[in-house]
Amino acid sequence: NLANMQLARAAARRREVAIRLSVGASRFRLVRQLLTESVLLALTGGVAGILFAYWVAAAFKKMTLPVAFPINLDITPDLRVLLFAFAVSLVAGIGFGLAPALSSTRTGLASTLKEGAVAQLRGYRRFGMRNLLMVSQVAGSLMLLLITGFLIIGFQKSNRVEIAFDAHQMHLLSLDPLRDGYSAEKAANLFDNLSERLKRAPGVQEIALAEAPPFSPLVPTATLTAPASPGMPDQVSQKVAPQTIGANYFAALSVNMIEGREFDLRDQKIDIAKSKLLPVVLNETAAREFFGNRNPLGRRLLEASHTYEVVGVVKDLSAPMSETESGSQIGPQVPTVYLPLTRSDFAHSPLGGMIVMVRATRGTDAMEGIRREIALLDPNLVIFNVRTL
């Protein structure tokens, strides 16, 4: 746009340029003058763009996103951005001003002066500067539209988590007996029998407990070692995400085990302090990373303070997504080791309370029955953070 307007402006100034040339101005000096005007125009636009960018950045800082944790959107331009904007403005001013400057000074003095105040544009030329600029502008605009369309499609795909189970009719709620005045022993006793008690509610198919709901941000913090065969190096993974879940967790999610079994009520009663071998369930990614194509069932995983035995393998609950700068991912796309909830976990509720997952029958109000059963257990026990998966 700027180059085409400069060409039109140069055509309108042909008589002025012809007069300057006729009184002795050199062509180089006129090109330099017109180029200076073009660069000044481009730099002014660059400054306006920078000021607009700062204004937009300040507006973004005041935005509050509808998420459960604070996010600070600080996109204030830094020195590198300012230098880049200055360089682009300078190049634009020179590039888009040079052609009009050369065009306006390449003119016949006699014919131009005879035209009077009216300056005619040059006739149609298939490969003229104006036509080339117009074709380039249309081609560039179409390319931007295509890129924008692909970006939107990619963003929609990356935002949509393709899960491996039916998330409908799954309700989540939180309980924190310790906050409600329970002792550690009493809280552990409550959770020991909670699943069986809540299954009595009408419309409830399955109940499971967990420290965090599915698709919570997982941070790989564990380092585990899979002992290899004699003469072979051990397989060590420093990016394993531990997730603590209760009995029948995958049954509640309607996820079938690939191999082995999931945790049951016996696993919840394990005393971690006394047990030398703890059961674990691996997702497909973890099983493949530790054992390749070998059967992982019955194999051992070593940690600094514990030894685990693989009792089951479950499919990845969702398709893998890009890893963030902090190393966290949404859902178990990283190698994930599922550990059983035990009485020691029940005696120390997580920060957001213990998650109770309820698989309900379609067409029933299972939550009404759940509230009634919990009220019968203890009317002072507070249910909070109720939502659907």
Side-chain angles (χ1 to χ4, degrees), residues 24-46:
S26 67
R27 189 184 179 202
F28 173 73
R29 184 165 183 175
L30 286 178
V31 168
R32 188 173 61 186
Q33 175 192 333
L34 297 176
L35 202 56
T36 301
E37 295 176 1
S38 175
V39 170
L40 182 61
L41 180 64
L43 290 178
T44 303

Side-chain angles (χ1 to χ4, degrees), residues 29-30 50 62 84 99 111 177 195 272 308 369 373 381:
R29 184 165 183 175
L30 286 178
I50 290 172
K62 298 176 182 178
F84 179 77
S111 59
S195 297
I272 293 182
Y308 303 103
E373 290 294 332
L381 197 59

Side-chain angles (χ1 to χ4, degrees), residues 279-302:
V280 294
V281 174
L282 305 181
N283 70 344
E284 283 182 287
T285 303
R288 186 166 50 249
E289 179 164 325
F290 282 118
F291 305 108
N293 295 326
R294 296 174 294 168
N295 184 6
L297 293 184
R299 295 185 179 273
R300 305 295 172 87
L301 291 175
L302 306 179

Side-chain angles (χ1 to χ4, degrees), residues 339-350:
L339 306 174
L341 275 171
T342 62
R343 287 181 62 86
S344 61
D345 298 309
F346 294 144
H348 302 87
S349 298

Side-chain angles (χ1 to χ4, degrees), residues 293-362:
N293 295 326
R294 296 174 294 168
N295 184 6
L297 293 184
R299 295 185 179 273
R300 305 295 172 87
L301 291 175
L302 306 179
E303 199 181 17
S305 56
H306 296 291
T307 301
Y308 303 103
E309 180 183 9
V310 180
V311 298
V313 178
V314 68
K315 63 176 65 175
D316 295 340
L317 297 189
S318 66
M321 293 171 62
S322 301
E323 188 169 319
T324 61
E325 292 182 1
S326 62
S328 65
Q329 297 195 12
I330 302 299
Q333 294 85 30
V334 293
T336 305
V337 174
Y338 295 97
L339 306 174
L341 275 171
T342 62
R343 287 181 62 86
S344 61
D345 298 309
F346 294 144
H348 302 87
S349 298
L351 184 62
M354 192 66 67
I355 306 298
V356 181
M357 301 167 49
V358 182
R359 168 70 68 180
T361 306
R362 291 184 182 273

